[in-house]
Amino acid sequence: MPISANTYVGGIVGYCEKNSRLVMKDCKNSGNISRASSGKADVSLKKYIKSAEITENQSVDDGIRLHFAGGITGVTLENEVIDNCANTGSVTGFSGIGGVVGLNAGLIYRCALNENFGNATLNYLGGIAGINIGSSNVEKTYGSSLKYKYMAGTIDSCTTAYGKTIAGLSNVGGIVGWNAPGGTVKENISYANITAGGSYIGGVAGRNSGSMEVGVDAQNKARNIDGRSGEGIGGIVGINEASGSVKVTGKVSGKEGELVAVGSQVTIHGNEKVGGIVGINQGTLGETTGAYLTCQAKLVRATKGVVGGIAGTTSGSIQYARNRSENVSADSGMAGGIVAENTKGQTVTNCGNYGNVTSSDGYAGGIAARNEGTIANCTVSGNCQLSIVHCLEFLSQDEV
């Protein structure tokens, strides 16, 4: 059955206020949802967050206007749970849309997107949720035994289907378009191809301002993350903002305590500022100790350069990360085994590059192509291909 509306629209439920304690479990939508040709156009995200529906007043950008449309429900609020639900229908014509939920400020748990989703004109789009935001600082419980504990604004253990495609313009992610302040995204995996014509495109999140706990790419299925017209393209996150963190979780795998977050059949291609894990890092990337956040991608490529096996550029910290990608490649510009550009005052520590790094016309380095900060306790065992002068020039400036 087709559904047509402008705001707060879902395949099963459009909207419930936050004290409803709604639980939607084992639901499936296969109907199509489209934007109506008349009526109220959209909602200011900033004004909505300041309303009584969001307890914790998070800071968001001015000027973002969204429709809140999802395959299961338009909005999930503080005391609401979406559990083991799936969408195979289409949602078109909106901004701020998700395969399951448009805006999540509650809990999305064990849900799935099982079809192609989106189109090239849509912003703030995710395979599971368009926006995920923290809405309370009080720990919640869920389930008959109340043993599952979470913070409101969590997406946990969700997936997108192999062989399908998620398409959008900017702020596009396999799981969530924007994990906004206070949001938690953990143990999710997207096997869908991602294609977008703008900036901030990621295998899990297009934009991250909250907490991301990355699990193992256990099935290692072939997929493409393609944002070759924009910047901030990453295997996990397009842009990790200053308040954002990307850490490992779950059981480590591979060699020497590595957690392989991006498997060996993944191809990541962007215009510039492209990374195997994060395209642009402004926050915290990796743990302070312990497991190594690892990328094994088949190819990490930037057409105009600034490409790294872990991050394209960093003005934050990178620690305990390893690149084992088959090739990190810039058609022109900088290419680095860990990061192309480490900016002034920043640190890259306890990292290792074991992959090949190439630049057709620019600087290339085993750890960084350009370093204005500190590089310490790092290891290089891959090949750097350009002119030997450029390779050695930048490696000699680093403390490796």
Side-chain angles (χ1 to χ4, degrees):
M1 181 180 72
I3 299 171
S4 180
N6 276 300
T7 53
Y8 308 115
V9 55
I12 306 296
V13 173
Y15 191 94
C16 279
E17 53 86 25
K18 72 175 182 180
N19 294 318
S20 68
R21 301 192 179 276
L22 172 74
V23 175
M24 299 179 66
K25 188 172 182 180
D26 301 329
C27 296
K28 181 179 179 180
N29 172 56
S30 57
N32 297 325
I33 301 170
S34 61
R35 184 178 170 188
S37 58
S38 62
K40 187 176 179 181
D42 50 28
V43 175
S44 164
L45 178 61
K46 190 167 188 175
K47 288 183 179 180
Y48 180 80
I49 288 172
K50 288 183 176 181
S51 73
E53 294 288 65
I54 304 290
T55 303
E56 190 74 8
N57 189 6
Q58 304 289 358
S59 176
V60 299
D61 305 345
D62 291 324
I64 299 176
R65 301 190 66 86
L66 305 172
H67 300 95
F68 302 143
I72 301 298
T73 183
V75 176
T76 305
L77 291 170
E78 180 181 333
N79 298 303
E80 300 168 1
V81 176
I82 311 298
D83 181 7
N84 197 39
C85 294
N87 178 40
T88 59
S90 68
V91 184
T92 59
F94 303 93
S95 288
I97 71 171
V100 175
V101 176
L103 181 143
N104 178 56
L107 172 64
I108 306 176
Y109 186 47
R110 304 182 301 183
C111 291
L113 173 70
N114 295 324
E115 256 304 340
N116 299 320
F117 188 72
N119 64 58
T121 65
L122 306 179
N123 295 305
Y124 293 100
L125 179 146
I128 299 298
I131 306 281
N132 183 59
I133 191 165
S135 61
S136 173
N137 57 11
V138 178
E139 188 176 67
K140 307 287 183 179
T141 58
Y142 171 64
S144 57
S145 62
L146 301 179
K147 290 184 178 180
Y148 179 80
K149 294 179 171 54
Y150 69 97
M151 302 302 293
T154 293
I155 304 173
D156 187 356
S157 303
C158 295
T159 62
T160 64
Y162 171 69
K164 304 302 180 181
T165 296
I166 295 170
L169 183 59
S170 294
N171 299 290
V172 177
I175 298 296
V176 61
W178 180 18
N179 185 39
T184 300
V185 175
K186 63 180 184 178
E187 299 262 22
N188 303 282
I189 185 69
S190 175
Y191 291 113
N193 298 307
I194 313 293
T195 180
S199 296
Y200 309 150
I201 316 303
V204 174
R207 180 181 176 189
N208 179 50
S209 309
S211 172
M212 294 193 63
E213 300 174 18
V214 182
V216 179
D217 186 359
Q219 297 186 40
N220 190 22
K221 294 180 177 179
R223 59 194 184 274
N224 298 317
I225 300 165
D226 192 338
R228 65 186 70 187
S229 297
E231 67 173 31
I233 316 300
I236 299 295
V237 179
I239 180 170
N240 185 43
E241 296 183 320
S243 61
S245 66
V246 180
K247 301 179 180 180
V248 301
T249 187
K251 186 177 180 180
V252 299
S253 60
K255 302 177 182 179
E256 301 174 359
E258 295 178 357
L259 187 145
V260 179
V262 178
S264 61
Q265 297 190 65
V266 179
T267 296
I268 304 151
H269 188 182
N271 190 43
E272 59 182 330
K273 299 180 182 178
V274 180
I277 302 293
V278 173
I280 300 170
N281 179 50
Q282 300 169 343
T284 301
L285 180 53
E287 297 285 2
T288 56
T289 185
Y292 290 90
L293 180 60
T294 302
C295 177
Q296 289 185 347
K298 182 177 181 179
L299 175 66
V300 185
R301 179 184 174 191
T303 304
K304 290 187 177 179
V306 193
V307 60
I310 299 299
T313 181
T314 184
S315 56
S317 64
I318 301 177
Q319 52 209 352
Y320 285 93
R322 287 179 174 171
N323 172 50
R324 293 187 181 274
S325 301
E326 184 176 329
N327 197 11
V328 176
S329 174
D331 294 359
S332 64
M334 297 181 290
I338 298 299
V339 61
E341 182 178 38
N342 183 37
T343 58
K344 186 176 181 180
Q346 304 308 315
T347 59
V348 177
T349 58
N350 298 295
C351 294
N353 173 44
Y354 303 91
N356 298 318
V357 181
T358 64
S359 177
S360 299
D361 183 19
Y363 291 109
I367 297 296
R370 173 180 292 162
N371 177 48
E372 297 176 351
T374 299
I375 297 176
N377 301 319
C378 293
T379 301
V380 177
S381 187
N383 295 318
C384 167
Q385 298 179 20
L386 184 68
S387 72
I388 192 67
V389 174
H390 286 159
C391 291
L392 294 179
E393 176 185 354
F394 278 84
L395 284 174
S396 68
Q397 291 178 10
D398 301 337
E399 180 188 349
V400 179

